[in-house]
Amino acid sequence: MAGNRAVVYSKPGSVEVRNTDFPELVLKDGPGVNPLNVGRKCEHGVILKVVTTNICGSDQHMVRGRTTAPSGLILGHEITGEVIEVGRDVEFIKKGDLVSVPFNIACGRCRSCKERNTNVCLNVNPDRPGSAYGYVDMGGWVGGQSEYVMVPYADFQLLKFPDKEKAMEKILDLTMLSDIFPTGYHGAVSAGVRPGSTVYVAGAGPVGLAAAHSAQLLGAAVVIVGDLNAERLAQAKSFGCETVNLRENSDLAGQIDQILGSPEVDSAIDCVGFEAHGHGKAHGEAPATVLNSIMEVTRAGGSLGIPGLYVTGDPGAVDEDSKIGTLKIRFGLGWAKSHTFVTGQTPVMKYNRDLMMAILSGRAQIAKAVNATLISLDAAPQAYQDFDRGVSRKFVIDPHGLVK
């Protein structure tokens, strides 16, 4: 049997590349695997040879020690790969297919899946609705920052690329279909972005940049991106966004007013999440900052898309309430302005096929927008450190050296 190598969370601030078991069509016991999922047979699944797998900001929350992730957890929920083994019950996916894997694990059979809410599948996580690969409290499905990975419910979940050779030519774009492109797009759609909209995107990390590019694809007139990181703001500016530096000037509404002639936008998107910081040079962690600020700068009747991650358990939080996800949100302001809030994991399958076509047609340039940067599996630990320092790159791991 072939071996396998994977990126593993070892302790706060540290990941390692380790030898691990070659995957099988069964969920075995291991770090983070829910005991009720141990031994779960997956003849409806496939084994993938991983072509690309990306480092995500959500992974960083675990690596920083801001979750209850156990040591030894194999990371990675952004996966693109070639099918090398097919389970007995798989009918339509074939060996050799090149596929994108939605980060949501979904059975295709429960009420949520049938209603296209694959982000809250009822059958894959014994603790609560919704699951993902290589993520804490998500059922224990093994992550894909590895050479090989098992993917369940293949016929339902996998997005097959229609032309393998052409797909490899655009693989740095197509690899974003597993998470951040649909997530950014969902944030923009949830915020009601439409032709002529003015949009504020909080956060210029990869998801924020994906949301900004998505808002442009949806026809927004002006997209404004805010962050504390000048390098990331420069990346947003590189593809036509306006920017506000909240380290240099804490007055968000005033900066928006200078750009638009009004202190309010039609729509806002939170791409920061629970590790948000306050504004200004002396900023500190303040987890409700982004939620409160986007309510302030969104017009009455507007919508807020919130793809940024919020959790129910944060051992490193700044106060006891925040440790259980209780934040000091000005909900009364949102109520008074009749805001619509959309939160939660993105239902990737709702968007990934359309976004694939936008990439293949040349309409979407997501790899350029997020500054996709190819690395080897062995370079992953250093990439995690660089990403944590705030470099404006989306690291794409190529475990087998298959990408030209």
Side-chain angles (χ1 to χ4, degrees):
M1 180 65 71
N4 194 14
R5 299 170 71 234
V7 180
V8 173
Y9 167 67
S10 57
K11 61 184 179 180
S14 177
V15 301
E16 301 173 358
V17 177
R18 296 182 186 173
N19 293 323
T20 186
D21 293 337
F22 191 85
E24 299 178 42
L25 296 174
V26 61
L27 186 52
K28 296 183 176 181
D29 197 8
V33 180
N34 190 301
L36 296 176
N37 262 349
V38 173
R40 188 165 179 166
K41 297 180 180 179
C42 298
E43 289 293 344
H44 42 64
V46 298
I47 306 298
L48 296 184
K49 180 178 182 178
V50 177
V51 174
T52 54
T53 176
N54 315 328
I55 296 175
C56 181
S58 298
D59 297 321
Q60 287 284 18
H61 295 306
M62 291 186 291
V63 173
R64 292 186 189 117
R66 296 300 296 267
T67 71
T68 56
S71 178
L73 183 75
I74 295 176
L75 300 168
H77 56 271
E78 301 189 18
I79 308 164
T80 305
E82 179 185 3
V83 178
I84 61 170
E85 182 181 333
V86 176
R88 178 195 63 208
D89 299 333
V90 177
E91 186 175 0
F92 304 110
I93 295 293
K94 307 298 183 185
K95 287 184 181 180
D97 286 348
L98 184 62
V99 297
S100 176
V101 183
F103 80 89
N104 324 108
I105 302 172
C107 71
R109 304 164 186 177
C110 68
R111 175 178 177 176
S112 290
C113 287
K114 289 177 179 178
E115 293 178 352
R116 300 187 73 196
N117 295 317
T118 53
N119 52 317
V120 283
C121 174
L122 303 176
N123 289 331
V124 289
N125 184 354
D127 287 338
R128 61 175 184 267
S131 191
Y133 303 89
Y135 214 84
V136 61
D137 297 332
M138 288 289 187
W141 300 88
V142 178
Q145 285 176 16
S146 57
E147 295 174 329
Y148 303 92
V149 68
M150 188 270 283
V151 174
Y153 305 106
D155 278 331
F156 177 66
Q157 293 196 104
L158 296 181
L159 176 65
K160 176 184 172 181
F161 299 138
D163 186 309
K164 195 171 179 179
E165 185 175 339
K166 289 182 179 179
M168 286 302 295
E169 293 174 2
K170 294 198 172 188
I171 196 66
L172 288 182
D173 293 281
L174 294 170
T175 191
M176 307 303 168
L177 292 173
S178 56
D179 182 357
I180 69 161
F181 197 8
T183 293
Y185 192 82
H186 178 62
V189 169
S190 300
V193 177
R194 60 187 185 276
S197 292
T198 57
V199 184
Y200 174 65
V201 179
V207 171
L209 297 172
H213 185 46
S214 297
Q216 293 173 333
L217 290 173
L218 289 166
V222 182
V223 180
I224 304 169
V225 180
D227 205 295
L228 301 163
N229 183 317
E231 180 182 341
R232 290 182 169 182
L233 289 172
Q235 179 63 26
K237 191 173 289 188
S238 74
F239 59 95
C241 299
E242 299 285 345
T243 61
V244 293
N245 188 324
L246 295 166
R247 182 187 298 272
E248 300 300 325
N249 183 347
S250 62
D251 182 6
L252 174 59
Q255 292 190 76
I256 290 175
D257 192 20
Q258 289 181 348
I259 294 168
L260 297 177
S262 167
E264 292 185 323
V265 292
D266 297 317
S267 306
I269 310 168
D270 172 7
C271 297
V272 178
F274 73 103
E275 287 193 69
H277 280 233
H279 301 161
K281 292 183 178 179
H283 67 85
E285 190 168 316
T289 296
V290 171
L291 293 171
N292 288 329
S293 65
I294 62 175
M295 283 189 283
E296 177 189 354
V297 301
T298 302
R299 66 174 177 83
S303 296
L304 313 177
I306 309 173
L309 176 67
Y310 290 87
V311 295
T312 56
D314 175 10
V318 293
D319 55 56
E320 292 303 312
D321 281 342
S322 299
K323 287 182 179 179
I324 58 171
T326 300
L327 308 182
K328 295 180 179 179
I329 299 170
R330 293 186 64 196
F331 191 74
L333 175 60
W335 189 94
K337 297 178 80 170
S338 294
H339 284 158
T340 297
F341 299 75
V342 179
T343 68
Q345 285 188 38
T346 296
V348 169
M349 293 176 67
K350 189 175 289 187
Y351 308 108
N352 62 353
R353 186 173 298 278
D354 290 345
L355 295 176
M356 174 186 73
M357 296 306 297
I359 289 170
L360 294 176
S361 69
R363 180 79 176 88
Q365 305 287 335
I366 187 64
K368 179 181 177 181
V370 302
N371 195 17
T373 302
L374 197 68
I375 62 171
S376 68
L377 190 69
D378 288 316
Q382 182 62 50
Y384 267 96
Q385 292 182 28
D386 293 342
F387 192 31
D388 195 46
R389 286 197 294 267
V391 298
S392 187
R393 296 182 181 183
K394 175 67 173 177
F395 288 107
V396 178
I397 300 171
D398 176 8
H400 297 278
L402 297 174
V403 181
K404 295 180 181 178

